[in-house]
Amino acid sequence: MSEMAATRLAQRPQLSEEVADHVRTRIMSGEVRPGDFIRLDETAAALGVSVTPVREALLTLRGEGLVDLVPRRGYLVSPMSRRDVEDIFWLQAELSRRIVDRAITRFDEAALGQHARLVEEFEAAAAAGDPDRVVSAQYALHRSINRASRSDKLSRFLNNAARYMPYRLYADDPAWRADALIDNRRMLEALRTGDVETAHAVIDAEFSNGADLLIAHLQRAGVWDEDRDGDGVTDGDDNRVESITSTPLIHGPV
């Protein structure tokens, strides 16, 4: 496994979720590749936590299909295909379109004013080149629409799908930030005018471009399993990977 940057996480009840987010991001950004083992002791030491939240986090990631448990050897990063990435972004686009359909009629002047301020916050963060602020501001914009839709279950499904996205990869990309500036302004105008068609177009562009950027990044990182058909995973004749469907998920808050 590649060297892990030192990151200290405080002891909190949701610690295993934060560890899962950290490892999930490393997988989806290509920092660790399919077939790499994720060592409990190494991960715990690098994050400044005990082994217990790391073990819980890996159980969560196993349930998500990102890691596999190899008996007597530990957890390794699962194979990933371009189709996997395309499916993740397709699902987010489908859910987002349905959410915006419900939200667009519920944006009154107060909500529109708040959303406009969030767009300005994103623009300020992008201009400052501050990736953390960019991530936070873009999340706030999506949350604004999700809340307006009053579709709690759909928003939770969308949140679960969005966990796979390595947000820092996008926030660090000047071209992505420039496109997001345009998309955020277009979405604000669509919300003001009730233009569902434009809102859908913005969503389609956002997730299509996001998929293309991540696919290109992972291509450069060499993570693709070109022969994977998506119907199962094995680790050679002697180390068959246990079924990932038998492990319960550990769900975190939305």
Side-chain angles (χ1 to χ4, degrees), residues 109-149:
E109 286 303 314
L112 286 169
Q114 175 61 21
H115 199 84
R117 287 188 288 275
L118 294 176
V119 171
E120 291 172 358
E121 172 57 28
F122 179 90
E123 293 176 350
D130 186 334
D132 291 333
R133 283 179 60 197
V134 167
V135 170
S136 178
Q138 188 69 0
Y139 172 81
L141 284 164
H142 284 282
R143 190 178 186 212
S144 172
I145 296 172
N146 293 347
R147 283 188 163 184
S149 75

Side-chain angles (χ1 to χ4, degrees), residues 25 29 122-139 165-181 184 206 209-210 213-214 217:
T25 296
S29 63
F122 179 90
E123 293 176 350
D130 186 334
D132 291 333
R133 283 179 60 197
V134 167
V135 170
S136 178
Q138 188 69 0
Y139 172 81
M165 295 177 66
Y167 290 105
R168 187 63 182 254
L169 171 68
Y170 299 103
D172 281 332
D173 188 324
W176 179 88
R177 294 199 300 266
D179 288 341
L181 282 171
N184 290 339
E206 176 183 359
N209 292 341
L213 191 155
L214 183 54
H217 175 79

Side-chain angles (χ1 to χ4, degrees), residues 196-207:
V196 175
E197 183 177 351
T198 295
H200 283 193
V202 170
I203 289 168
D204 290 343
E206 176 183 359
F207 289 108

Side-chain angles (χ1 to χ4, degrees), residues 209-232:
N209 292 341
D212 289 345
L213 191 155
L214 183 54
I215 287 171
H217 175 79
L218 294 177
Q219 173 72 29
R220 291 191 295 270
V223 304
W224 300 125
D225 178 0
E226 301 291 353
D227 298 324
R228 185 183 181 197
D229 61 8
D231 294 329

